Each structure stands twice: as structure tokens, then as C-alpha cells.
Amino acid sequence: MNAIISAPELANELTGARPPVLLDIRWQLSLAKAAGAAVFDGRAEYEAGHLPGAVFVDLDAELAGPPGAGGRHPLPDVAAFGAVMRRAGVSAGTPVVVYDGGQGWAAARAWWLLRWTGHPDVRVLDGGLAAWTGALSTDVPAPAEGDFAPVPGAVDLLDADGAAALARSGLLLDARAGERYRGDVEPIDRVGGHIPGAVSAPTTENVGPDGRFLAPEVLADRFKALGASGTEVGVYCGSGVSGAHEVLALAVAGIPAALYAGSWSQWSSDESRPVATGPDPQ
């Protein structure tokens, strides 16, 4: 099964006999901005116009647990996540397509969570809302309750110790921007740098200027050049959101990968964990 779907393919499926459930996951990372700057409001963006029939899902409130020892976006309570998905109309036997405003990170987080909890058919709209050329709707649907019952463990998940071990035994990719990997800047977390042994692989380099993923063979070449050949692969980022997008890019390339969901926000908050800086993995 493909991990992504193009806008024309989605338009065709929506008119077919088995249309997918649509989830709108518009979200932006909130950083300190100039005084008076408006905070991004995904629900307001959704209400202003969304794919017809799409249900809004809040990443911070519904695709993550409360910030704390597990990081800024720890995994949500599984039962609560299942309830959110059922309210959105998600059933085990129904395909799901998730999209966001175009960056792809938030949609990938929903895609990964559904895959991790065992949904067999979920894809991301390649290029997000910006790729959609059809009409938008302001109607808020009330879908029939779904039957999806999440069972964690369908795909690999790393904790901090597992990420540290994989950085030595396999390939651990850091999906953040290069300057954060090197520790040149750190706008959010306690300290800058990276997990010792991790390789810098900014997720922004997996897409073209239009936000759509590069061709599978191009992505495969990129990841193989970074060391993803014949070895286990894991990914982390700042808080398990852009890292999910890198796992998605790896899936497009045909390379399975585990996600360290706690990511740098969890790792760096533990003063006992080692930190590497500079361009060298070690």
C-alpha cells in the first residue's frame, strides 16, 4: 500500500464506492514570535475552508499527551486516541487520508499514530491542502461513529535507550534543521546538539518547493547515501512531529524506520544523557 496519495487520485477515490475518511490536521510549530504576532489556529483555518467531509483533529490536544517527562508531544493515551478517531468516523475497514496545510509534518504524525495502532489503510495527501484544486467547504460534518480499536505496536517505536543503542548499531537520523543538529542554535529545548552517533538528515530535504515528496528513487538514493542500506533505521526530531514526516519519506522510499517519539525534547531534558555538537555524528 502506498503511504501517500496525490490530489487527483484522492478526488477520484472520493467519488468511488469506498471513499476514504478525511482528517484535517492543520498545525504549525509554535515558537516565540514578535510581540503581538497571532498564534496559529488550526481549527479556525479548518472552519474557513476544508476538503468536503473532512473532520478536524487537533494535534496538540488529540495527537499528543500533555508535555512533560515524555517530551513536548508525547504519545497520546491510546484509549483517548481511539475515541478521537472513532468520533471522526474512522473504522478498521475504511481507508483514511490525512492532510494538513502543506508542510506535511502534522499529517505525518496522524499517519504514524494510525499505523502504530494498527490501522491497515492510511495515507497522506501529498502536498497537503495546497495541492488540492477542488472546491472547499465550510460545513462541519457529523460522521457516523467508527469502530477503530487501536492496538499499539504495529510499527516500531523507540524510547531514549533504544535510540541511543540504534545510533551505535544501526542508523539514527536527526530530522531537525542542520543548525539545531550542530547546536549552533536551539530555540526551544534546554540545550542544543544531537544524540551521539545520530546523522543529520533534515526532513525539509525530502520534499520539493511545492511541498510534495521527491520521487521514491530519489529519496531511496538520499537515505542510502546517509547509510540506510542493510541496517535498522530510526528517526527523531524535536518532539516526534517532523520525525514522523521523515519516517513517511522513508516509507515512500521503501525503507522501514522506527520513530523515537520523545525525540530531542525528551532527550535533552535529561541531564544524564550525553550531547554531541558540531557536524560530526559523534
Side-chain angles (χ1 to χ4, degrees):
M1 185 190 72
N2 291 332
I4 58 176
I5 183 171
S6 70
E9 289 171 332
L10 176 58
N12 184 62
E13 289 194 12
L14 288 172
T15 62
R18 193 166 170 256
V21 171
L22 295 177
L23 302 180
D24 184 309
I25 325 285
R26 271 179 275 182
W27 171 88
Q28 286 183 8
L29 179 64
S30 295
L31 297 176
K33 296 182 179 180
V39 175
F40 180 81
D41 187 336
R43 186 175 294 277
E45 294 288 324
Y46 165 83
E47 291 174 350
H50 51 266
L51 269 63
V55 175
F56 178 73
V57 177
D58 188 302
L59 186 150
D60 289 318
E62 298 175 318
L63 301 183
R72 276 193 313 282
H73 290 105
L75 297 181
D77 175 81
V78 171
F81 172 70
V84 167
M85 292 297 102
R86 289 190 294 274
R87 285 198 301 272
V90 175
S91 291
T94 304
V96 178
V97 171
V98 294
Y99 72 91
D100 57 24
Q103 188 178 40
W105 295 4
R109 171 76 173 208
W111 167 84
W112 185 89
L113 280 169
L114 281 164
R115 290 183 68 240
W116 177 64
T117 52
H119 197 286
D121 189 353
V122 54
R123 291 161 292 170
V124 171
L125 175 58
D126 194 19
L129 185 66
W132 182 255
T133 58
L136 298 180
S137 173
T138 57
D139 294 335
V140 177
E145 183 92 356
D147 65 14
F148 178 61
V151 179
V155 296
D156 289 336
L157 171 68
L158 296 171
D159 59 12
D161 289 340
L166 187 59
R168 297 189 298 270
S169 65
L171 176 67
L172 182 65
L173 298 175
D174 185 317
R176 299 172 300 158
E179 58 268 24
R180 291 186 67 193
Y181 169 88
R182 295 189 299 271
D184 298 344
V185 298
E186 181 44 64
I188 311 173
D189 294 312
R190 183 184 66 84
V191 63
H194 57 270
I195 297 173
V199 174
S200 179
T203 197
T204 52
E205 296 179 15
N206 296 323
V207 298
D210 59 1
R212 300 182 196 185
F213 282 103
L214 303 177
E217 60 273 17
V218 175
L219 289 171
D221 287 345
R222 181 193 184 213
F223 291 123
K224 288 176 181 177
L226 292 168
S229 182
T231 191
E232 291 184 47
V233 180
V235 180
Y236 75 96
C237 58
S239 63
V241 179
S242 67
H245 190 264
E246 185 120 301
V247 173
L248 175 58
L250 283 152
V252 172
I255 301 170
L259 177 67
Y260 171 27
S263 286
W264 188 248
S265 61
Q266 181 186 45
W267 182 280
S268 64
S269 68
D270 183 348
E271 295 185 14
S272 72
R273 297 283 178 185
V275 171
T277 57
D280 188 271
Q282 303 300 331

